[in-house]
Amino acid sequence: MAEKSSGPARRPAVRAWLFDLDNTLHDASSAVFGVLSPAMTDYIAQELALEPAQADALRRRYWQRYGATLLGLIRHHNVQPAHFLHQTHLLPGLEERLRCHAHDVAALRRLPGRKYILTNAPRAYALRVLRQLGFLDVFDGVFSIEDMRVFGHWRPKPDPRMLQRICVRLRLAPRQCALVEDTLEHQKGARRIGMRTVWMQRWAHRAGLRCSSRPPYVDRRVRRLATLCR
């Protein structure tokens, strides 16, 4: 008698959720980016003695090329990372502009597994946002840009080497981790190492993005955190 097929192997449960911060857990397009981008432009103009239009073009070019403006400034202008991160993220009045809903906090509390923040923003900024939104005690830890160095080199999202290092630190295989993120380019890096991928589209229209069909490297599309609990 022929043996019965056991069917396709079930994927292991997600044991660790890695959440992006801006435009994933809160509406950063409205609350932050309108202030943060000019702050970076002003910093570049002052430090590199450029006109505002030149500084803004350089900021955009480095963000598109490296995934983080800071990387271009380090590689091409020897800018000190700590000074850049501090000066550009002072953001006076930030807390008053942040908004959250109680059901988001409740949804994250119900979500099984460990939960971490994984953001290309500096730690001080991430903690300010999490504290104001009421998320701080929901997460087991924060991986900020200060934690994204591999063999002495800065490797922010979407660098697969950094994502692999995070999995090692968590003592989990990539397939046991899921990245919840609004930026598709970062999803590609996660999928390259075998990580689960969830595309948050809640604030995509505010960021000027089109919510296209789900790319093959994205496992799920969601618009609400509560959907993750299903």
Side-chain angles (χ1 to χ4, degrees), residues 31-58:
V32 180
F33 293 162
V35 180
L36 181 59
S37 295
M40 290 188 178
T41 296
D42 290 345
Y43 181 92
I44 294 170
Q46 181 175 345
E47 293 295 314
L48 304 185
L50 297 175
E51 293 297 321
Q54 294 174 307
D56 188 58
L58 193 65

Side-chain angles (χ1 to χ4, degrees), residues 4 15 21 23 27 47 132 139 156 170 180 182 225 227:
K4 293 182 179 180
R15 296 182 58 188
L21 183 59
N23 277 350
D27 183 6
E47 293 295 314
Q132 180 64 23
F139 289 92
L170 297 178
V180 185
D182 68 296
L225 292 174
T227 307

Side-chain angles (χ1 to χ4, degrees), residues 169-183:
R169 291 181 63 175
L170 297 178
R171 298 184 179 181
L172 294 173
R175 66 181 182 278
Q176 296 174 302
C177 303
L179 176 65
V180 185
E181 167 78 58
D182 68 296
T183 305

Side-chain angles (χ1 to χ4, degrees), residues 17-168:
W17 299 87
L18 302 172
F19 285 86
D20 177 49
L21 183 59
D22 293 332
N23 277 350
T24 296
L25 293 183
H26 75 109
D27 183 6
S29 294
S30 297
V32 180
F33 293 162
V35 180
L36 181 59
S37 295
M40 290 188 178
T41 296
D42 290 345
Y43 181 92
I44 294 170
Q46 181 175 345
E47 293 295 314
L48 304 185
L50 297 175
E51 293 297 321
Q54 294 174 307
D56 188 58
L58 193 65
R59 175 187 64 81
R60 295 173 184 272
R61 183 160 72 247
Y62 286 161
W63 183 80
Q64 292 171 352
R65 180 175 179 182
Y66 298 112
T69 300
L70 175 59
L71 262 64
L73 295 176
I74 293 172
R75 295 182 183 184
H76 300 290
H77 307 282
N78 200 32
V79 164
Q80 295 301 309
H83 186 254
F84 170 83
L85 293 171
H86 174 73
Q87 292 297 119
T88 58
H89 286 78
L90 291 173
L91 303 176
L94 169 66
E95 285 76 6
E96 288 71 24
R97 296 190 297 271
L98 296 172
R99 297 290 182 271
C100 185
H101 299 285
H103 59 71
D104 289 329
V105 179
L108 286 179
R109 292 190 188 280
R110 295 195 309 270
L111 186 65
R114 290 182 278 164
K115 294 171 278 286
Y116 299 88
I117 293 294
L118 183 65
T119 176
N120 282 356
R123 178 175 298 273
Y125 164 81
L127 293 177
R128 284 176 70 186
V129 173
L130 293 172
R131 187 176 295 111
Q132 180 64 23
L133 296 180
F135 283 134
L136 194 57
D137 67 338
V138 174
F139 289 92
D140 297 278
V142 174
F143 295 110
S144 63
I145 194 166
E146 292 95 336
D147 302 304
M148 297 180 181
R149 283 199 271 186
V150 180
F151 300 118
H153 297 283
W154 293 80
R155 305 290 186 191
K157 292 184 292 185
D159 196 295
R161 292 162 292 189
M162 178 276 296
L163 295 172
Q164 185 71 59
R165 178 68 65 88
I166 294 295
C167 292
V168 170

Side-chain angles (χ1 to χ4, degrees), residues 158 160 163 174 179 185-197:
L163 295 172
L179 176 65
E185 194 64 30
H186 296 175
Q187 302 281 10
K188 290 181 182 179
R191 175 49 58 87
R192 282 181 61 185
I193 68 167
M195 194 178 287
R196 314 280 190 89
T197 53

